[in-house]
Amino acid sequence: MRNFQLLKVTSPASAVAAIKKDQNAQFIAGGTNLVDLMKKNVSTPDKLIDINGLQLKEILQGEGKTRIGALAKNSHVAEDKTIMRKHPLLSLALAAGASQQIRNMATVGGNMLQRTRCSYFYNTDLPCNKRVQDSGCGAKEGYNRMHAIFGASESCIAVHPSDMCVALAALDAVIFTNGPKGNRQINFVDFHRLPGNSPEKDTILEHNELITAIEIPDHNFTKNIHYLKVRDRTSYAFALVSVAVALDMQNGLIADSRLAMGGVSHKPWRLNEVETFLKGKKADAGTFKEAAKLAMTGAKSYGGNDFKLTLAPNSIIEALTIAASK
């Protein structure tokens, strides 16, 4: 790890001003991902701007939405009574992520910004376009068991690792930021990027822009919900495939739904066409099988992850079945 300067700030304005002065500076809160990247020299900031002193930890309910501060800890959000009552899908997804120790340190904002766990990205001796532009994507012809089946490009087939973000994408969350140009609101589904020709850019966030909060609108998705995470072991493992399902059941029919997947793309993968298909349908095995088939449109594997072409639709069927049975 290279030497760096640590600067503590006390307001969003001072945080934005501090990072604006140094293009090689980064914000740090829990540091559960950034410190790992620094240890491996994948990330080499000259300055870390400590934002833990900012008053951005609140969880507030009102006016048809729930507001969560960017510095709220993952464990706090998962166990918050308002979240468990109003947005239980988010609570389930957070509880499925990492270990309890990491959830006690990790923040909501940091969770959104965590980098891929692709082994080629983490190993500076191997080619990775996310780390070094035009160096190649080692995973395409190499070890790619964990990698994308949707939205990949010639430049990158890595996946986004977050569980929390899958639920937030499904729940139509909105991100609030502060930067030199003022405040901005970003729909969560638009925040993370597909790799395209610029895989080094995980999100549309500007370098000198600070996430301050997220808001989740009120909805009817409080009972028939499920977060299914398929992984190699039940503790502290990233998803091979995950599915967030929220159903609004009315008289045995699906009045509305929200679905998103993790472990399959460079960003949380929202299943908009499936949601449209499910509207007004019976919650039965035939419907769920057709929904899973529709969800796999355009899927492509790379050898080591061929099994995901079977695992993903089976996971969708299982998640829908469990959600509908509650």
Side-chain angles (χ1 to χ4, degrees):
M1 182 188 295
R2 65 187 290 180
N3 291 333
F4 59 89
Q5 178 186 1
L6 181 65
L7 175 65
K8 293 187 177 183
V9 293
T10 57
S11 70
S14 61
V16 170
I19 202 168
K20 183 180 178 181
K21 297 175 182 177
D22 190 342
Q23 287 299 309
N24 201 32
Q26 293 191 45
F27 295 126
I28 188 168
T32 56
N33 183 210
L34 177 56
V35 172
D36 283 344
L37 294 171
M38 292 172 64
K39 288 178 179 178
K40 294 180 179 292
N41 289 317
V42 175
S43 183
T44 55
D46 295 322
K47 180 188 295 181
L48 292 181
I49 300 169
D50 184 349
I51 59 174
N52 284 294
L54 306 188
Q55 300 302 307
L56 300 174
K57 301 179 177 67
E58 75 283 357
I59 300 176
L60 303 173
Q61 170 65 33
E63 299 181 355
K65 57 195 174 185
T66 303
R67 186 178 181 91
I68 305 171
L71 292 179
K73 301 295 187 182
N74 285 185
S75 57
H76 183 197
V77 177
E79 297 165 5
D80 182 82
K81 291 182 179 179
T82 296
I83 299 298
M84 295 177 71
R85 176 172 54 87
K86 301 288 290 186
H87 308 292
L89 183 62
L90 175 58
S91 181
L92 288 177
L94 281 166
S99 65
Q100 183 65 44
Q101 293 89 340
I102 290 177
R103 293 196 297 270
N104 286 340
M105 286 295 297
T107 62
V108 168
N111 192 318
M112 296 181 209
L113 297 175
Q114 63 180 303
R115 309 298 303 276
T116 181
R117 263 51 178 196
C118 174
S119 58
Y120 294 88
F121 176 68
Y122 267 77
N123 190 332
T124 56
D125 294 328
L126 299 176
C128 174
N129 289 318
K130 287 181 72 67
R131 193 182 63 252
V132 181
Q133 290 184 2
D134 300 322
S135 63
C137 175
K140 286 186 64 179
E141 303 297 332
Y143 182 77
N144 51 41
R145 184 170 179 271
M146 299 291 294
H147 289 68
I149 56 174
F150 294 111
S153 71
E154 290 299 311
S155 298
C156 180
I157 63 171
V159 298
H160 186 72
S162 172
D163 293 292
M164 180 196 79
C165 290
V166 180
L168 290 175
L171 294 173
D172 298 316
V174 177
I175 299 169
F176 289 76
T177 71
N178 182 275
K181 298 179 182 179
N183 299 325
R184 183 160 67 131
Q185 296 183 29
I186 306 169
N187 290 332
F188 200 92
V189 292
D190 299 324
F191 181 70
H192 296 94
R193 297 179 65 259
L194 292 178
N197 295 322
S198 303
E200 73 280 2
K201 298 178 181 178
D202 291 332
T203 73
I204 63 171
L205 193 72
E206 299 292 338
H207 169 73
N208 51 13
E209 199 170 11
L210 174 71
I211 299 172
T212 56
I214 61 167
E215 285 186 352
I216 310 172
D218 288 351
H219 46 64
N220 292 325
F221 306 120
T222 57
K223 179 183 178 183
N224 299 104
I225 56 98
H226 189 64
Y227 186 75
L228 176 67
K229 182 177 183 179
V230 182
R231 45 188 163 176
D232 288 323
R233 60 184 187 275
T234 56
S235 176
Y236 193 22
F238 296 101
L240 294 168
V241 170
S242 65
V243 186
V245 172
L247 303 176
D248 178 10
M249 302 291 298
Q250 301 290 339
N251 300 318
L253 300 179
I254 302 171
D256 201 3
S257 66
R258 297 291 185 272
L259 289 91
M261 298 183 73
V264 296
S265 179
H266 198 257
K267 62 181 292 182
W269 193 250
R270 179 76 177 263
L271 300 177
N272 292 296
E273 292 185 6
V274 175
E275 294 171 6
T276 300
F277 167 79
L278 288 172
K279 196 164 188 176
K281 299 287 197 308
K282 290 183 178 180
D284 59 25
T287 296
F288 296 159
K289 184 177 180 180
E290 287 299 311
K293 181 180 178 180
L294 178 61
M296 296 305 293
T297 302
K300 177 184 177 181
S301 59
Y302 295 87
N305 66 347
D306 289 351
F307 69 96
K308 288 191 179 185
L309 298 181
T310 300
L311 178 62
N314 287 346
S315 298
I316 292 170
I317 292 170
E318 181 177 351
L320 283 166
T321 302
I322 293 173
S325 67
K326 293 183 177 181

